[in-house]
Amino acid sequence: MSQHASAAGALWGGRFSGGPAESVAALSRSVHFDWRLAKYDILGTKAHIRALQQAGYLTMAELEKLDRDLGELWARIQNGSFLPKESDEDVHSALERGLIEITGKELGGKVRAGRSRNDQIATLIRTYLLEEATHLERLVSQLIATIANRAEEHLGVAMPGRTHFQHAQPVLLSHSLLAHAWPLQRDLERLDDWRKRAMLSPYGAGALAGNTLGLDPNLVAQELGLSGPTQNSIDATSSRDVVAEFGFIATMMGINLSRFSEEIIVWATAEFNYIKLADAYSTGSSIMPQKKNPDVAELARGKAGRMIGDLTGLLATLKGLPLAYNRDLQEDKEPVFDMIDTLFVLLPAFTGMVETMTFNTERMEELAPAGFSLATDVAEWLVKQKVIFRDAHEITGSLVSYCEQHGLELHQVPDAAMAAISPHLTPEVRDVLTVQGSIRARAGAGGTALPRVLEQLTGIRKIIAHRLA
């Protein structure tokens, strides 16, 4: 069988009388998508052979030759002279074939001792995701910095704030923009926390029960830049919660981009006319020459749905697996590969769209008081005049009803009409019937008043400067 297994590019054999059926080989093959882990497989093997040498299974000369030959194999991969074959089952078998081609079967055949593909792949996916997380962090940080820049450019500009997509209270445009920056920052904080769990190395767990060769898993972890070995060998090879957690964080990033996209799409309509998108970040219609479509935002919204599908599929794969390793776990990689590829192509375009869109601040400020958005200020003013809030709410509701019946805004109601609604509505109430007065009054922690917005800007710039350093 070893002859059959070798011909099939597999790392198993012996007890089988023949190779797998062609359909089974095709079903089992994963090298077409896990080849992107080649770099991390080689780094893992470099760490593993040091553990083999320390335990007495390789001489120093053998270690040095294997280390050089692994470097040569990586160079061949980078220049394209070594590629996986259709007969290779996975990245591990392809790279073992490549190493043996360089270093010879006798020495190359020693490398597999003391490890299994089970602990190997569990480690590789972690080291891969850790590196990609660093790239992802930088892209998200650049977007947050861009949002902060746009907020700083428009300090003091008022716009309608909404709940239920209806006019609610006036807010600063800067405050609204920063409301999209903080969720992305929380996504980065989730990555920070995730790293603590991802930094453990499954190497040394073997197939599921550990190894008997006395290899030092701490040495392997140290060589890979990880914090130490996992605590339980069965858990190490059979769990993919670290992968699922990364997938959740990536999906939340996509969802946060999608929420911002929804606003951008609406803001760019003729009815809202809050923003205009740059030509470079818009597309046209094949039939309607006047069209300027917000395709970047729409694609962000669509790709968030795709990422949710990736995450859901991954969680469904994991939900019923018994201990320990099961071949179902081959399906853990493509979902997160797709998420990473999606965010890497989406984030630069999204950042460019935000950086180049222009704001129609006159339109925003014109609409800031519309829809009786200052009604809450009236109710709170009444509370300050010692009217209980239940009554203040009723009085203000009656004032709004009067405005609707007579086609007026709150500040347009005559003093006599106000007094008729309630004697508590004295002319002094007009002091709060301005957008800027309403915004200034909301000076509590996290509020929309300019001093609080400036504090936000200072805080988020400090955080992002550290991440982009």
Side-chain angles (χ1 to χ4, degrees):
M1 174 54 203
S2 57
Q3 185 177 5
H4 291 292
S6 177
L11 298 179
W12 46 272
R15 60 96 62 216
F16 290 83
S17 58
E22 185 175 336
S23 60
V24 174
L27 176 64
S28 300
R29 192 170 295 121
S30 62
V31 72
H32 56 287
F33 62 80
D34 65 20
W35 183 242
R36 71 168 69 192
L37 298 176
K39 169 187 172 182
Y40 309 93
D41 191 299
I42 289 174
L43 291 173
T45 300
K46 280 175 167 280
H48 177 65
I49 61 176
R50 280 165 174 72
L52 286 172
Q53 188 277 326
Q54 186 187 70
Y57 298 102
L58 293 174
T59 66
M60 183 57 71
E62 288 175 326
L63 170 65
E64 291 172 352
K65 176 169 174 50
L66 282 170
D67 192 66
R68 287 195 304 272
D69 291 347
L70 285 165
E72 171 61 22
L73 177 58
W74 176 235
R76 293 184 185 184
I77 291 170
Q78 288 182 297
N79 66 30
S81 61
F82 180 81
L83 295 170
K85 295 181 178 179
E86 190 173 337
S87 59
D88 291 321
E89 185 176 22
D90 53 31
V91 63
H92 317 296
S93 56
L95 292 177
E96 180 170 293
R97 173 178 61 81
L99 179 60
I100 288 174
E101 286 177 6
I102 297 171
T103 203
K105 187 173 182 179
E106 183 173 348
L107 180 56
K110 293 183 177 184
V111 172
R112 209 193 311 164
R115 73 176 181 183
S116 163
R117 284 186 297 180
N118 296 1
D119 62 347
Q120 198 174 350
I121 190 59
T123 307
L124 300 190
I125 192 64
R126 289 170 181 246
T127 53
Y128 165 79
L129 291 177
L130 283 163
E131 184 165 305
E132 298 294 44
T134 300
H135 300 154
L136 193 55
E137 178 185 12
R138 188 161 194 87
L139 289 174
V140 174
S141 296
Q142 289 169 346
L143 173 56
I144 293 172
T146 298
I147 295 172
N149 289 342
R150 302 316 310 273
E152 188 170 27
E153 290 169 15
H154 296 88
L155 291 172
V157 174
M159 69 177 294
R162 296 171 183 270
T163 65
H164 306 274
F165 209 60
Q166 306 298 310
H167 280 235
Q169 295 173 345
V171 297
L172 290 181
L173 170 58
S174 300
H175 193 54
S176 183
L177 289 172
L178 290 171
H180 289 293
W182 289 111
L184 293 167
Q185 167 56 22
R186 289 195 296 275
D187 290 334
L188 297 183
E189 290 173 0
R190 292 183 183 99
L191 271 185
D192 294 339
D193 191 58
W194 166 83
R195 284 189 180 96
K196 293 183 289 188
R197 290 174 286 284
M199 285 288 286
L200 295 176
S201 169
Y203 249 107
L208 78 159
N211 76 82
T212 64
L213 299 183
L215 306 185
D216 183 2
N218 287 288
L219 172 61
V220 176
Q222 183 179 358
E223 289 288 328
L224 291 174
L226 301 176
S227 58
T230 48
Q231 301 91 337
N232 183 294
S233 61
I234 300 176
D235 173 55
T237 57
S238 62
S239 296
R240 291 295 187 274
D241 54 311
V242 165
V243 180
E245 185 180 0
F246 178 90
F248 168 76
I249 296 167
T251 302
M252 276 307 308
M253 290 176 179
I255 288 171
N256 287 327
L257 294 180
S258 181
R259 292 180 63 213
F260 197 1
S261 294
E262 177 66 14
E263 294 209 324
I264 289 170
I265 291 164
V266 171
W267 289 356
T269 62
E271 291 79 6
F272 271 69
N273 192 23
Y274 285 4
I275 62 169
K276 291 200 182 306
L277 298 174
D279 287 355
Y281 292 92
S282 307
T283 64
S285 166
S286 60
I287 190 172
M288 295 173 284
Q290 84 281 8
K291 289 298 294 297
K292 187 175 183 181
N293 298 326
D295 279 21
V296 173
E298 290 176 350
L299 286 167
R301 195 172 56 180
K303 288 181 182 296
R306 173 174 171 164
M307 294 173 70
I308 291 169
D310 286 333
L311 177 62
T312 304
L314 174 57
L315 293 174
T317 297
L318 300 179
K319 75 174 182 63
L321 295 184
L323 299 174
Y325 181 84
N326 297 272
R327 193 61 181 272
D328 312 51
L329 292 176
Q330 181 171 298
E331 300 301 311
D332 71 332
K333 288 172 280 299
E334 286 185 285
V336 288
F337 291 171
D338 184 59
M339 292 178 192
I340 288 167
D341 291 346
T342 296
L343 286 173
F344 280 5
V345 73
L346 175 58
L347 280 163
F350 197 97
T351 301
M353 174 183 65
V354 173
E355 187 174 29
T356 56
M357 64 187 184
T358 56
F359 293 90
N360 186 348
T361 57
E362 290 183 7
R363 173 69 172 167
M364 290 181 172
E365 295 203 310
E366 174 192 349
L367 292 177
F372 312 113
S373 66
L374 300 173
T376 305
D377 295 272
V378 173
E380 291 177 348
W381 179 86
L382 287 167
V383 169
K384 292 176 183 177
Q385 312 310 309
K386 309 305 181 185
V387 177
I388 63 172
F389 185 77
R390 182 182 181 85
D391 291 344
H393 193 284
E394 290 290 326
I395 293 168
T396 306
S398 298
L399 176 61
V400 170
S401 178
Y402 178 90
C403 290
E404 288 179 324
Q405 293 170 21
H406 294 84
L408 302 174
E409 290 292 340
L410 294 172
H411 67 278
Q412 296 173 324
V413 179
D415 289 348
M418 284 196 184
I421 293 169
S422 170
H424 296 293
L425 289 175
T426 63
E428 287 74 22
V429 73
R430 298 189 186 281
D431 292 341
V432 300
L433 290 180
T434 67
V435 168
Q436 291 305 323
S438 173
I439 289 172
R440 280 196 303 271
R442 284 169 167 74
T448 192
L450 184 57
R452 302 293 82 79
V453 171
L454 290 171
E455 287 173 358
Q456 287 186 64
L457 273 170
T458 299
I460 205 157
R461 284 196 182 284
K462 184 177 180 180
I463 293 168
I464 296 307
H466 174 72
R467 292 187 181 276
L468 290 174

